[in-house]
Amino acid sequence: MTEPATGFVRTEMLDPLAPPERAGGPLVWLRANLFSSWLNAILTVISLYVVWRVLATVVPWAANGIWDATSLSNCREIRDELYGPGVPGACWAVIHDRWRQLLFGFYPKALYWRPILALAIFVVTVLPFLVPALPRRLMWMAPVAPFAIFWLLWGGSVWTPVLAMAGLAVIWGVWSSVGDRHGAFAGWVAGIVALVVIFLPVGRAFDAVLGTGETWLDALFPLAGNIGALLERALPASIQSVITREFGGFELSFIIGVAGIILSLPLGILLALGRQSHLLVVRVLSVSFIEIIRGVPLIVWLFTASLLLNYFLPPGTNFDLMLRVIIMVTIFAGAYLAEVIRGGLAALPKGQYEAADALGLDYWKSMRLIILPQALKISIPGIVNTFIAMFKDTTLVMFVGLLDPLGLSNSIRADQSWNGIYWELFLFIGALFFVVCFGMSRYSMYLEHRLARDRR
Amino acid sequence: MTDTATADTAPLMQVSDEIAIEIEAMNKWYGNFHVLRDINLTVRRGERIVICGPSGSGKSTLIRCINRLEEHQSGRITVDGTELSSDIKNIDRIRSEVGMVFQHFNLFPHLTILENCTLAPIWVRGVPRREAEETAMQFLEKVRIPEQSQKYPGQLSGGQQQRVAIARALCMKPRIMLFDEPTSALDPEMIKEVLDTMIELAEEGMTMLCVTHEMGFAQAVANRVIFMDQGQIVEENEPREFFSNPQSERTKLFLSQILDH
């Protein structure tokens, strides 16, 4: 071997150097970000002018606001007295006067503690699911909380939710014990039989919502109604009932929105999986469901729920409107979620499915343990996007006669003292929605960040 | 390339008479494309078989048929006495007895190394968590990365990931291991660590089917080399004969291309 002409052998490795320091300071930042070129400088100046004009109008208007007045005209009198005629000033008095209504609708004033307690239960129940640092033990609330919340909101006999819970527990027991011994299919059949025979208590639960009278659910589950009535007679434990017509305001939006969010996620997952299924029937059904629901505006489905369903139900039936709206909103959001989640499923490498198969995991286990955790993580932005859109869409229920905050703002204006007031109400309602939606958005970013950190 | 397996270890690798895998007159098509043609292969327990051949010759498809990642359309495949049919129970039973290692590792990125290894024992076999973790740590020690058990796959090098993938398959205590080009996605520096792990496994008497182009590995541990081309088994021989005295023209051409460079 001959020596290369220019030999070089490194005898010492170089130590790493610190990166060069970056120039800092506000002036450097301004120059780099706002005045880096003539065009940018002009755009910056124009933008500053627009921002100044908007603030110069809005800030004095809001700051001059009158908080204590009995009506809009009273507001204007006070304003003219304080600042002179023609000076802009908001009339926050309407919020001061009507905030209870905007939050709780016509829910009985003496019972405000019930929705507030229900909200507290809800928050305590979902927190351990949202924040993994909290102890897992707190999750035990989850099976009980929906029934407790339902009872607090609508009131009535405590036996209604207790029986509904017992019924569900029995079905679950039948499904899991039969399913373990005789396969999943037998489990489903036994579960459905149990549903018809033992799920009767839920009929009673619905009764409470449905109000008075013989309902189709009563006809389906007569036993439950009777058991509930008997128990109530033997051990009376009732709180004052509140019927759906008395619900309203942000409480109503929140109930519909949260119920829709919680119920639509599993529906969306099932539809997304169904759309990918190898079974033709399942696939065709899922695709048609998604396309039909997605292809028609939500408002049409809400009208369907409020008007058309009555034609199909037996006469005299009073199927609670809020329940119908929740079902429609759930189905609608579920169809959108299915497509979002399908994107996540499609983004996973085929190797993940194969590795799960090769280890002998069956379909549901591989979906639950391997595929869905990854697919849902990819889909988080889209899922939260759908949730936010759906939450805001709950304001559409005003068109089917439910008094959401926007519907209430109309009825507040119908009162002579607040006739003609718009901005203040809309700002307040907008702020309520913004807080919730912004919260969801921040949470989704935290979640993405946390999952990304776990997996680097 | 690898000469870890010496003459003294070779007798350890006993082949029994018991049949582990039997493939009879198996055919498979992708649409109209006849990808596997009349495959007949009997694998006895303890055999180490290396399958080689040009790309597109059907070697990966062949071993993927053994655990039903691919479905064959005619013929019979019997694994450990269970015939592969569309009966999902048989498929799941066979899959839990047959370990597989993929070219691209296919570790689960959302689970730690330890969780990757304990997932299937816990959920498929119903092993208690603690016991599954102990077993997993044993196998991680065996592949020499126990200290990484709390990391996520993305934090490991390719060679380390592939060794975890081997440990993950071993945690199911499989009776047969399938390797689908386990080193072809690795940097040259990492190939040896994976091959060494595979050699150890062979020395312990594991039944192995290995699609690979590592001819050094074939010479060191295989007791049979199978050469495939155009969906058929062209030549089958013990390694020394296979490399020194290939019979078919196609094999000679293939060997000259991969050995002389």
Side-chain angles (χ1 to χ4, degrees):
Chain A
M1 275 236 279
T2 51
E3 290 284 315
T6 49
F8 170 75
V9 174
R10 189 182 284 288
T11 53
E12 277 173 32
M13 302 305 274
L14 295 177
D15 289 328
L17 298 175
E21 287 204 16
R22 286 178 54 190
L27 277 179
V28 176
W29 185 89
L30 275 179
R31 202 191 160 94
N33 291 291
L34 299 179
F35 300 98
S36 56
S37 68
W38 273 111
L39 180 65
N40 280 349
I42 291 167
L43 288 175
T44 301
V45 170
I46 294 175
S47 308
L48 284 175
Y49 176 71
V50 171
V51 170
W52 180 77
R53 280 303 300 265
V54 170
L55 289 181
T57 317
V58 173
V59 171
W61 174 78
N64 291 349
I66 311 298
W67 283 93
D68 220 358
T70 51
S71 69
L72 185 57
S73 47
N74 182 222
C75 243
R76 287 186 178 141
E77 282 163 22
I78 297 174
R79 184 195 65 192
D80 291 349
E81 215 170 280
L82 281 174
Y83 309 109
V87 175
C91 184
W92 299 118
V94 67
I95 311 294
H96 187 230
D97 189 38
R98 297 298 184 99
W99 65 271
R100 289 177 201 83
Q101 214 178 3
L102 285 167
L103 290 183
F104 295 105
F106 298 104
Y107 206 89
K109 229 178 221 174
L111 302 180
Y112 280 172
W113 62 272
R114 278 172 30 184
I116 292 169
L117 181 60
L119 178 67
I121 293 178
F122 169 74
V123 169
V124 172
T125 307
V126 296
L127 267 183
F129 290 91
L130 301 181
V131 185
L134 293 172
R136 305 284 87 186
R137 271 175 297 135
L138 289 174
M139 286 186 182
W140 70 264
M141 301 248 318
V144 186
F147 299 97
I149 290 170
F150 164 81
W151 185 56
L152 279 172
L153 290 175
W154 275 273
S157 166
V158 73
W159 296 113
T160 308
V162 168
L163 278 173
M165 225 173 353
L168 280 178
V170 170
I171 290 169
W172 183 78
V174 168
W175 175 78
S176 64
S177 65
V178 174
D180 278 354
R181 236 164 291 154
H182 305 288
F185 182 71
W188 284 114
V189 173
I192 290 167
V193 172
L195 183 94
V196 176
V197 180
I198 306 160
F199 202 115
L200 309 177
V202 174
R204 194 80 198 95
F206 283 120
D207 275 356
V209 189
L210 310 177
T212 53
E214 188 75 5
T215 68
W216 62 281
L217 279 161
D218 245 345
L220 258 175
F221 306 115
L223 185 59
N226 295 334
I227 294 176
L230 280 176
L231 278 170
E232 179 60 33
R233 204 168 302 160
L235 288 165
S238 294
I239 52 175
Q240 189 185 330
S241 321
V242 180
I243 57 169
T244 294
R245 225 174 322 121
E246 295 175 299
F247 282 70
F250 198 63
E251 182 194 350
L252 178 101
S253 300
F254 199 76
I255 294 171
I256 296 174
V258 166
I261 283 172
I262 291 174
L263 296 172
S264 63
L265 186 60
L267 177 69
I269 292 173
L270 286 179
L271 284 172
L273 293 178
R275 191 160 190 166
Q276 280 210 327
S277 170
H278 296 293
L279 305 170
L280 182 70
V281 181
V282 176
R283 196 168 60 238
V284 168
L285 283 178
S286 306
V287 171
S288 348
F289 186 92
I290 293 169
E291 296 301 343
I292 291 172
I293 295 291
R294 220 166 37 137
V296 177
L298 176 60
I299 190 77
V300 174
W301 290 120
L302 291 177
F303 277 125
T304 311
S306 77
L307 304 171
L308 271 179
L309 278 184
N310 281 346
Y311 290 103
F312 299 113
L313 296 172
T317 304
N318 178 18
F319 189 37
D320 185 68
L321 183 58
M322 173 119 73
L323 195 63
R324 282 186 266 171
V325 164
I326 287 177
I327 291 172
M328 273 309 171
V329 168
T330 302
I331 288 175
F332 196 75
Y336 273 89
L337 282 177
E339 288 299 284
V340 170
I341 295 167
R342 187 168 70 100
L345 289 171
L348 281 196
K350 199 162 150 253
Q352 292 291 310
Y353 292 86
E354 288 180 349
D357 283 348
L359 285 170
L361 291 167
D362 63 30
Y363 176 79
W364 289 108
K365 280 177 191 160
S366 69
M367 288 301 134
R368 190 175 117 209
L369 301 166
I370 308 299
I371 305 303
L372 284 174
Q374 299 183 59
L376 291 177
K377 182 198 152 196
I378 300 172
S379 325
I380 288 172
I383 290 175
V384 175
N385 200 21
T386 310
F387 283 166
I388 288 176
M390 186 251 248
F391 188 69
K392 291 182 299 179
D393 279 352
T394 58
T395 48
L396 287 175
V397 300
M398 107 181 173
F399 293 109
V400 295
L402 288 176
L403 286 177
D404 82 303
L406 283 183
L408 273 171
S409 79
N410 284 340
S411 59
I412 289 172
R413 265 192 302 280
D415 184 338
Q416 214 172 2
S417 34
W418 301 114
N419 196 352
I421 194 156
Y422 287 93
W423 283 101
E424 293 82 350
L425 286 169
F426 287 151
L427 274 175
F428 180 70
I429 295 164
L432 287 175
F433 276 94
F434 179 79
V435 167
V436 174
C437 294
F438 187 65
M440 281 197 266
S441 159
R442 297 311 296 187
Y443 176 73
S444 93
M445 287 168 81
Y446 153 81
L447 192 63
E448 274 179 78
H449 182 71
R450 193 186 85 212
L451 295 177
R453 191 178 54 202
D454 277 6
R455 296 151 204 184
R456 220 178 58 161
Chain B
M1 167 148 234
T2 44
D3 47 10
T4 323
T6 57
D8 346 327
T9 57
L12 281 173
M13 302 191 264
Q14 291 291 325
V15 174
S16 81
D17 289 339
E18 195 190 335
I19 291 174
I21 302 170
E22 179 134 56
I23 301 176
E24 294 163 277
M26 190 258 276
N27 283 280
K28 173 168 178 61
W29 290 263
Y30 284 132
N32 287 328
F33 179 54
H34 198 171
V35 47
L36 289 176
R37 309 180 191 182
D38 190 35
I39 304 286
N40 289 282
L41 177 67
T42 304
V43 181
R44 292 176 194 284
R45 194 157 303 293
E47 276 203 283
R48 290 88 45 203
I49 296 179
V50 162
I51 304 170
C52 58
S55 72
S57 59
K59 47 197 193 312
S60 285
T61 311
L62 171 60
I63 69 164
R64 287 159 61 87
C65 281
I66 293 172
N67 66 352
R68 238 327 146 108
L69 289 183
E70 304 280 354
E71 197 176 332
H72 61 282
Q73 276 106 22
S74 77
R76 286 159 58 96
I77 301 179
T78 313
V79 182
D80 254 344
T82 310
E83 194 190 332
L84 266 179
S85 57
S86 23
D87 183 350
I88 202 99
K89 271 203 181 121
N90 279 355
I91 295 174
D92 280 343
R93 187 184 319 146
I94 287 171
R95 281 174 175 170
S96 64
E97 298 296 332
V98 177
M100 181 143 192
V101 175
F102 299 87
Q103 181 179 0
H104 296 289
F105 333 134
N106 297 355
L107 293 178
F108 305 130
H110 63 301
L111 301 176
T112 63
I113 300 306
L114 188 64
E115 286 164 346
N116 262 279
C117 293
T118 57
L119 183 110
I122 290 172
W123 289 95
V124 179
R125 291 239 195 275
V127 176
R129 177 171 299 275
R130 178 153 310 169
E131 200 183 316
E133 284 176 357
E134 277 168 22
T135 315
M137 285 312 291
Q138 274 172 24
F139 283 113
L140 286 174
E141 264 158 45
K142 192 177 153 85
V143 301
R144 290 183 292 275
I145 34 180
E147 70 283 357
Q148 314 277 19
S149 66
Q150 295 309 319
K151 289 194 182 165
Y152 286 88
Q155 295 166 287
L156 268 54
S157 74
Q160 289 174 323
Q161 288 195 45
Q162 192 60 297
R163 285 185 282 148
V164 172
I166 294 173
R168 176 176 72 177
L170 291 177
C171 282
M172 285 294 279
K173 309 260 171 78
R175 308 186 69 184
I176 300 164
M177 285 284 285
L178 307 175
F179 292 86
D180 188 0
E181 307 208 26
T183 55
S184 36
L186 295 176
D187 288 344
E189 278 184 314
M190 294 168 182
I191 291 176
K192 185 173 181 304
E193 63 187 56
V194 171
L195 288 180
D196 284 348
T197 309
M198 290 167 63
I199 290 166
E200 266 176 51
L201 206 55
E203 285 166 358
E204 287 164 17
M206 176 65 77
T207 310
M208 292 165 68
L209 269 84
C210 191
V211 173
T212 183
H213 292 136
E214 295 297 333
M215 291 304 135
F217 172 78
Q219 275 165 325
V221 299
N223 67 320
R224 251 200 294 171
V225 179
I226 289 174
F227 175 71
M228 287 183 72
D229 189 28
Q230 293 174 20
Q232 305 161 68
I233 294 179
V234 175
E235 191 163 341
E236 186 179 336
N237 216 331
E238 55 110 5
R240 197 175 312 157
E241 273 295 296
F242 180 84
F243 289 111
S244 61
N245 190 15
Q247 300 298 309
S248 86
E249 286 306 314
R250 189 66 192 83
T251 316
K252 284 178 193 165
L253 179 65
F254 176 75
L255 286 177
S256 71
Q257 275 164 348
I258 66 164
L259 294 177
D260 306 342
H261 59 75

